[in-house]
Amino acid sequence: MNLEKALQSVREIYVNTPKQYELANNELKKINDEIQDILHIFELGKVDAIAITKLGKDLKKLRKQRRKLKEEIEVLEKVKRFISHQKPTEKIINNSIGEVRSTIEKQKKRSYKLRVRKDLQHLLNH
């Protein structure tokens, strides 16, 4: 067993994960605000077809970044819950590993069922 690598892993979990969680949440807020800006331009602005196309592409890019951040935060929340234990037992460690693994697997299979515009569902199923 390489104790130095093991301690580096502990540092990664206990020190870097909370920082990463905070950075991801801050970035998510920024992207949400940017999405709202674009939606307000659609709602209130005077935009031509070219601008609408560009803004639509920007919106799609931002939504993909948002999804990626939300998935990262979802996993980081499992790790944060783990590190909140004073002295995690082997059972808690194993449960945390399982939760992270399960969350990542669910994310790989994620799909979305339209709630209102069901006539557009075929655009998602590709």
Side-chain angles (χ1 to χ4, degrees):
M1 172 183 217
N2 185 333
L3 289 178
E4 181 182 353
K5 284 188 178 183
L7 287 171
Q8 288 172 349
S9 295
V10 170
R11 178 181 58 203
E12 185 67 33
I13 295 296
Y14 282 91
V15 176
N16 294 341
T17 297
K19 291 177 186 176
Q20 187 178 355
Y21 180 80
E22 186 176 338
L23 286 171
N25 271 302
N26 289 340
E27 185 65 21
L28 180 63
K29 183 189 178 325
K30 181 179 168 254
I31 286 174
N32 281 332
D33 289 346
E34 191 171 349
I35 288 169
Q36 285 303 310
D37 286 348
I38 291 172
L39 292 175
H40 280 100
I41 289 170
F42 279 136
E43 178 185 0
L44 304 169
K46 295 181 182 182
V47 289
D48 60 14
I50 294 170
I52 288 172
T53 300
K54 183 191 177 315
L55 290 169
K57 286 180 181 179
D58 291 347
L59 192 57
K60 182 176 181 174
K61 183 178 129 201
L62 288 166
R63 291 290 298 185
K64 285 185 176 203
Q65 290 173 343
R66 180 179 180 272
R67 170 55 46 208
K68 190 174 175 184
L69 281 168
K70 285 186 75 169
E71 288 177 350
E72 178 183 354
I73 290 167
E74 187 178 22
V75 173
L76 289 170
E77 284 172 345
K78 308 295 184 211
V79 178
K80 274 193 71 172
R81 188 169 48 235
F82 163 74
I83 63 179
S84 70
H85 292 91
Q86 284 286 8
K87 187 176 178 189
T89 62
E90 184 175 353
K91 181 180 178 184
I92 291 170
I93 293 168
N94 290 338
N95 284 344
S96 297
I97 292 169
E99 285 180 0
V100 167
R101 185 179 298 132
S102 174
T103 299
I104 291 170
E105 286 303 312
K106 283 182 201 170
Q107 290 174 351
K108 288 179 185 175
K109 300 172 188 170
R110 185 167 306 219
S111 63
Y112 184 78
K113 186 172 180 183
L114 295 176
R115 297 174 189 163
V116 178
R117 292 297 308 266
K118 297 181 186 323
D119 60 310
L120 300 175
Q121 187 70 44
H122 69 282
L123 297 172
L124 289 177
N125 301 333
H126 44 331

